[in-house]
Amino acid sequence: MIILKTSIFGLAAMFAMSNFAAAGTAVPSAGYGLNTTTSSTATPLADGSTLIQQTTQGFWIETTTEAGFPSEKVADCKATMLLSAEGAPIAYRSVCTAADMDGDLLVATIGATKPDFSDCAWTAHGGTGKYAGVTGGGQCAPAGNLTKDGNSSKSTWTGEWVLP
């Protein structure tokens, strides 16, 4: 009887632990974000280029959740973009914090240097609670405007989380 109870407890514990990846494990991450620009300032520079600084708020929905993280987060980002005199993007960098339903924060950066954003990449830098020590990264891509004025847009990402 003790062996049966021990076996059942062991199986239950293994099942519970299988829902969370082990420390140091890389697990897939993919999803999309729906974002709205809340403020934007354009500063013309002497060479004809323009420096744009923006704040955005959005909803990030992770479509893979192998890390055991909540799939929905509310994100706040502070972005800086440099446009050429012709209006083409030269460089883009954003620092974001994304809060989940438990109030834990993930800190991430997003960057690109090609005008078509084909080199868009994201990097996780840890955070609070369940995101403390989390790293990882991958590719990102703009997925189009949601409004005619371009203030609301969609983006996508793929990559991996590396758990502490």
Side-chain angles (χ1 to χ4, degrees), residues 96-98 103-108 124-135:
C96 302
T97 56
D104 294 336
L105 293 177
L106 170 69
V107 178
H125 299 280
T128 65
K130 66 183 77 64
Y131 304 105
V134 169
T135 60

Side-chain angles (χ1 to χ4, degrees), residues 7-110:
S7 297
I8 291 172
F9 177 75
L11 287 173
M14 283 185 3
F15 177 75
M17 290 172 46
S18 70
N19 289 329
F20 297 96
T25 301
V27 295
S29 175
Y32 64 94
L34 306 172
N35 307 293
T36 298
T37 301
T38 56
S39 71
S40 184
T41 304
T43 305
L45 303 178
D47 65 356
S49 61
T50 304
L51 182 68
I52 298 177
Q53 295 177 304
Q54 295 181 327
T55 57
T56 62
Q57 292 183 326
F59 297 103
W60 291 359
I61 293 84
E62 192 170 357
T63 56
T64 59
T65 58
E66 284 86 349
F69 300 145
S71 63
E72 298 164 341
K73 297 168 188 66
V74 177
D76 292 306
C77 298
K78 298 209 180 294
T80 300
M81 182 170 15
L82 182 61
L83 301 178
S84 70
E86 297 75 34
I90 297 171
Y92 173 85
R93 193 70 167 169
S94 184
V95 176
C96 302
T97 56
D100 65 22
M101 65 186 301
D102 300 323
D104 294 336
L105 293 177
L106 170 69
V107 178
T109 54
I110 303 166

